[in-house]
Amino acid sequence: MKAPAHFKLERNIWSSGFEKIAGVDEVGRGAWAGPLVAAAVVFPKLVDFPEELFDSKMLSPRRRESLSKIIYNHAVSIGLGVVQVSTINKIGIGGATQRAFRLAVRNLSLVPDKILIDAFYIKRMSRENQIPIKGGDHISATIAAASIVAKVYRDSVMRKLGQKYPLYNFGRHKGYGTRLHQEAIRANNFCPIHRKSFNLSFLTT
């Protein structure tokens, strides 16, 4: 496993006089079904976080869920941005990702001084206070925390959708394009939570 994310960048920003730093990340961008979820996390200045934080993809489900609870206990504010399939199909995954980012930030209980985000800027928001970081969920502990919160929330949603649409095993693959998911689509065609805007026609032809 890679080294954990750290608070070095956050400490530099805190030392410059900014206190409210939001880490933002999304989960579900590459899935074939289900919502896209983004999270924004703000920790208190100079937080003493008791555990190591990694990108959510590097952690087991049990570890993610444990860390998510700890993050909620230590964060000053957490915002979620959820974009449903109907919107993804209408505006595309790029537009949906940007909308999820904006929703997550706006759903915070405060206005952040700085926004740390994985890879690229959030559109329609001032760039002055944004710091895009390539591979940010491996570097910034605040972004890693956001990825964990978003992943745990989205996985819970997909488990519930798995109960609603039992033929597709969403609780197992969470809507990603695994062999199990492909076989379910071939056997049952698409269901209402599949992203029709994605070119998945090869599965049913």
Side-chain angles (χ1 to χ4, degrees), residues 3-11 13-14 21-25 41 43 52-56 71 114-119 131-148:
H6 49 73
F7 285 98
K8 293 178 183 177
L9 178 57
E10 288 88 338
R11 289 192 184 98
I13 297 172
W14 284 323
I21 304 171
V24 181
D25 203 4
V41 175
F43 286 120
E52 293 181 330
L53 290 166
F54 295 86
D55 168 27
S56 62
I71 291 165
K114 293 290 182 181
I115 299 172
L116 309 182
I117 186 162
D118 190 18
I131 304 176
I133 306 166
K134 186 175 182 180
D137 47 9
H138 296 282
I139 298 170
S140 162
T142 308
I143 296 177
S147 77
I148 292 168

Side-chain angles (χ1 to χ4, degrees), residues 43-88:
F43 286 120
K45 184 177 180 180
L46 301 176
V47 62
D48 184 16
F49 199 81
E51 302 285 345
E52 293 181 330
L53 290 166
F54 295 86
D55 168 27
S56 62
K57 295 185 290 295
M58 299 174 64
L59 301 169
S60 68
R62 180 177 296 181
R63 185 62 179 147
R64 283 195 297 265
E65 290 175 8
S66 174
L67 282 170
S68 181
K69 293 176 182 177
I70 299 171
I71 291 165
Y72 270 93
N73 286 335
H74 282 75
V76 173
S77 181
I78 292 176
L80 289 171
V82 182
V83 178
Q84 302 295 342
V85 172
S86 58
T87 301
I88 295 172

